[in-house]
Each structure stands twice: as C-alpha cells, then as structure tokens.
C-alpha cells in the first residue's frame, strides 16, 4: 500500500490524516505540536520526529499548514523538502494560500522533478472529520488523476480547476462569495427583526423566494432558527472569523494584483476584520450577525 507523508495535523489535517489511515494507507505523520501528532499516531499513523523523517519511503506528500509562509518554509530553500524528495514524488498541498505562492512552490518543484498539486478544501472541520470535504485542485491533469483516490478517502467532491494555482483561485472566489452571502443574509434578518418579524418566519420566506441561498439553507446566522447551526451553539465550532478574514485578505491581494474590482468582497473583508478585532476572532463566521445586532443597540 502507498505510503503518504502527512505534514500539518491541526484542526483539519488531523482528521484528514486519520481518514487516510482508515482507508488503509500507511501514513507517516509529522506536526510541530506533540499533542496534534499524538492524536493521529493513536489512530494508527507512524509518528515521525521531523518532516524529513516523514518523507522516508513516501511517494506522496500531503501538507495542511496555516498559511503561505509555512508552506514556503516547508518546501523551499536549502533545507526544504523539495531538495530531499525522490524524483517524481507527488506533493499535494491542501493549505489555503495565495495562488502566487502556490505557483512559486509548484515551479520550484518542477525544477526538482517533483510533481505538485494545490488542493485547498471546503467543508470545515466537520467535513474533514466525516471525510466529506470538497477538494479544488490545480495542476497537471495526470497528477490530479493519480491524486483522486487519495483525495476521495478524505472527501466527497473532487474538482480539477485548471493549472497550478487554479485550485487556490477557485477557493478564494468561493469563500469571498460565501462571506458576502453571510453578510447579506445577516443584514436582511436584522432589518426584518427590527420591524418585528420573527427571524424564523423571515428565513423561511426568503429561503423559498428569490433571496434563497446556501446560508439560509443550512447555516442560518440567527440563534435558534436552525438547531444544528453554530448560531444556535453560541457560535462555537464551524469556520472561524479569523480564517474568513485570512481568506478575504488573500482575495483582496489577488484582486489588487489582477486589477479586479471587488467592492463587495472588500466590504466583507472590512466587516470580518473589524468583527474579529472586537474579540470575535475565534467565533464561527456566522457571528457577523451580532455585528448588525450590536450596532442596532447604539
Ligand atoms: P491549524 O492551525 O489547526 O493547523 C495547522 C497545523 O500545522 C498546526 O497543528 C501546526 O502545529 C502545524 N504546523 C505549522 N507549521 C508546521 C511545520 N513547519 N511542520 C509541521 N507542522 C506545522 O489550522 P487548520 O484549521 O487545520 O487549517 C489548515 C489550513 O486549512 C489553513 O490554510 C486553513 O486556511 C485551511 N482551512 C481551514 C478550515 C477550517 O475550518 N479550519 C477550512 C478550510 C480550509
């Protein structure tokens, strides 16, 4: 069976690596955090002392790191993994990072005869745990086809968006749209409630009308409207405000580089940034609902 080196075993990477073990892959695991490493080792992965130790005998590497600088420092430079991997190893980076950074690492990989796919995910910690993530890949079609069964062990919907970097671009576009939908839905609910409407009734009306959207269908931001949504659990769990701010920052940088107008994305970025700075960074992003409600009290 294929041996996979898995590097970065945090909230997302931990359960993803566990799903690879469950699917029968040999997983060589490494994380800077001992606690994170222990969880995955207890599930049956081999605990490794370093990233270099983890790639021994591996033909595939999966990384799930916080941001671009972590990905660059893992792969690039004299001590980077690209200098140490066997020729033709397939690297799958699932971190959400700037498309430019991803292309830079892919280019360096090509010069070292290493294959590289960007494969950011959508679906959050719940999707990582349930093995139902959406993977959005950028890279050569042949590499995508080879990665497909491995990604399928961790996800449900697997897409090939185009060449290197395309996965990151698609992910950034999706999250920008999601943030706008969340702000718009929160705004409409707050206005309705200010007029004495029951947010549950208004949600149902909008869901069945032209304002219907993904947020209303499964992620309602008003507490109590949807039993299992983070809003009904004190905005705990789900997708953090800080992570949404990070992704919107990537969208903004990308829009500046490409001279693309993103007025709504920029506004959403400011809203989430301010909301995070007001002490809500570790709440679910649907807590942006409170931004509208708190402002109403003033
Ligand atoms: P996390 O902070 O929980 O985990 C990152 C892990 O990487 C940590 O355990 C950290 O110790 C480890 N790490 C950092 N540098 C390392 C290195 N050089 N070598 C080994 N390990 C290292 O983050 P997360 O929530 O798992 O997110 C990971 C990526 O997935 C991010 O890019 C994030 O934007 C993206 N993402 C997250 C979610 C989510 O809901 N959490 C959803 C979709 C995408």
């Amino acid at each position: 069976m294929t041996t996979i080196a898995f590097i970065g075993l945090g909230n997302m990477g931990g359960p993803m690596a566990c799903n690879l073990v469950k699917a029968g892959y040999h997983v060589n695991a490494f994380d800077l955090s001992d606690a994170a490493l222990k969880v995955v080792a207890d599930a049956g992965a081999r605990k490794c002392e370093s990233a270099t130790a983890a790639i021994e005998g591996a033909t595939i590497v999966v990384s799930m790191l916080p941001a671009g600088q972590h990905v660059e420092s893992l792969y690039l430079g004299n001590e980077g993994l690209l200098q140490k991997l066997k020729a033709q190893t397939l690297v799958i980076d699932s971190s959400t990072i700037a498309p430019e950074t991803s292309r830079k690492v892919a280019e360096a990989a090509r010069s070292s005869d290493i294959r590289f796919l960007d494969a950011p995910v959508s679906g959050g910690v719940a999707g990582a745990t349930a093995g139902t993530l959406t993977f959005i890949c950028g890279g050569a079609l042949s590499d995508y086809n080879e990665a497909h069964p491995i990604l399928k062990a961790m996800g449900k919907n697997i897409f090939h968006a185009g060449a290197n970097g395309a996965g990151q671009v698609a992910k950034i576009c999706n999250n920008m749209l999601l943030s706008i939908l969340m702000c718009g839905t929160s705004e409409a609910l707050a206005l309705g409630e200010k007029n004495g409407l029951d947010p549950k009734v208004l949600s149902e009306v909008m869901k069945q009308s032209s304002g219907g959207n993904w947020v209303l269908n499964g992620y309602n931001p008003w507490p109590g409207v949807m039993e299992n949504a983070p809003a009904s659990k004190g905005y705990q769990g789900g997708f953090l405000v800080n992570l949404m701010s990070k992704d919107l920052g990537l969208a903004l940088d990308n829009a500046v580089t490409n001279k693309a107008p993103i007025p709504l994305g920029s506004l959403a970025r400011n809203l989430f940034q301010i909301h995070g700075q007001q002490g809500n960074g570790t709440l679910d992003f649907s807590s942006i609902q409170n931004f509208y409600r708190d402002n109403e009290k003033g």
Side-chain angles (χ1 to χ4, degrees), residues 7-13 30-33 64-66 70 95-96 121 124-125 171 239 243 246:
I7 297 159
L9 310 162
N11 293 322
M12 296 294 289
F30 175 66
D31 193 290
L32 295 174
S33 149
M64 192 53 166
L65 300 172
H70 305 96
S95 326
T96 301
V121 302
V125 177
K171 160 80 185 174
F239 186 55
L243 282 176
K246 174 199 148 187

Side-chain angles (χ1 to χ4, degrees), residues 71-85:
V71 175
E72 287 198 57
S73 90
L74 178 68
Y75 291 110
L76 304 182
N78 288 340
E79 287 306 305
L81 288 190
L82 293 183
Q83 300 300 320
K84 300 171 183 169
L85 289 165

